[in-house]
């Protein structure tokens, strides 16, 4: 790893820290609010605060969830194919039968409670 690659990694870690620190006090969105945003055609859900929310079965395909806080959320059977999940917090997230095909998952912070079976074919990390 050269000097520029090291600097890029340090910059990304700093960005991840700032995203986590700045968004930890916002009230979580409800399931109904998330569904309403998606049904209205909104695909940019960057920095979404949905920690602990039941988002099971929701179709997020192609959405941008960059920097979202999904700690403890239930994403069982969720369609997350082609989503940008870069720098997303997913500690304790349930991903049973979630579809993560071709999802971008760079810098995801997680310890996933229940993940199997999950489709992660060709995810970009």
């Amino acid at each position: 790893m050269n000097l520029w690659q090291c600097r890029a990694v340090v910059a990304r870690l700093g960005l991840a820290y700032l995203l986590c620190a700045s968004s930890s006090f916002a009230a979580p969105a409800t399931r109904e609010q998330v569904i309403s945003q998606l049904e209205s055609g909104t695909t940019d859900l960057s920095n979404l605060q949905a920690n602990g929310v039941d988002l099971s079965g929701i179709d997020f395909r192609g959405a941008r969830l960059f920097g979202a806080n999904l700690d403890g959320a239930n994403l069982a059977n969720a369609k997350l194919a082609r989503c940008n999940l870069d720098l997303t917090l997913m500690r304790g997230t349930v991903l049973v039968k979630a579809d993560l095909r071709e999802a971008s998952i760079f810098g995801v912070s997680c310890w996933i409670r229940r993940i199997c079976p999950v489709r992660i074919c060709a995810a970009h990390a």
Side-chain angles (χ1 to χ4, degrees), residues 18-62:
L18 290 174
L19 286 171
C20 295
S22 65
S23 62
S24 60
F25 298 108
T30 65
R31 176 183 177 86
E32 292 75 21
Q33 289 170 330
V34 172
I35 291 171
S36 175
Q37 285 184 327
L38 290 168
E39 286 177 348
S40 71
T42 302
T43 59
D44 190 353
L45 300 173
S46 296
N47 300 313
L48 172 70
Q49 296 298 305
N51 44 313
V53 178
D54 179 8
L55 303 173
S56 59
I58 295 179
D59 187 349
F60 290 96
R61 283 181 289 193

Side-chain angles (χ1 to χ4, degrees), residues 3-123:
L3 179 61
W4 292 109
Q5 290 171 323
C6 289
R7 287 182 180 174
V9 169
V10 170
R12 288 177 178 162
L13 290 174
L15 176 62
Y17 173 78
L18 290 174
L19 286 171
C20 295
S22 65
S23 62
S24 60
F25 298 108
T30 65
R31 176 183 177 86
E32 292 75 21
Q33 289 170 330
V34 172
I35 291 171
S36 175
Q37 285 184 327
L38 290 168
E39 286 177 348
S40 71
T42 302
T43 59
D44 190 353
L45 300 173
S46 296
N47 300 313
L48 172 70
Q49 296 298 305
N51 44 313
V53 178
D54 179 8
L55 303 173
S56 59
I58 295 179
D59 187 349
F60 290 96
R61 283 181 289 193
R64 179 176 167 84
L65 291 159
F66 179 90
N69 181 351
L70 302 174
D71 284 346
N74 180 359
L75 288 167
N77 297 305
K79 294 176 179 77
L80 297 161
R82 297 179 313 283
C83 283
N84 180 339
L85 296 166
D86 294 345
L87 302 178
T88 298
L89 301 175
M90 298 179 85
R91 295 175 294 229
T93 301
V94 176
L95 288 168
V96 174
K97 295 185 181 178
D99 183 358
L100 291 162
R101 287 178 288 175
E102 299 180 44
S104 179
I105 55 174
F106 173 80
V108 170
S109 174
C110 66
W111 53 267
I112 299 171
R113 193 169 20 159
R114 295 171 62 198
I115 190 169
C116 296
V118 176
R119 293 180 219 119
I120 310 182
C121 300

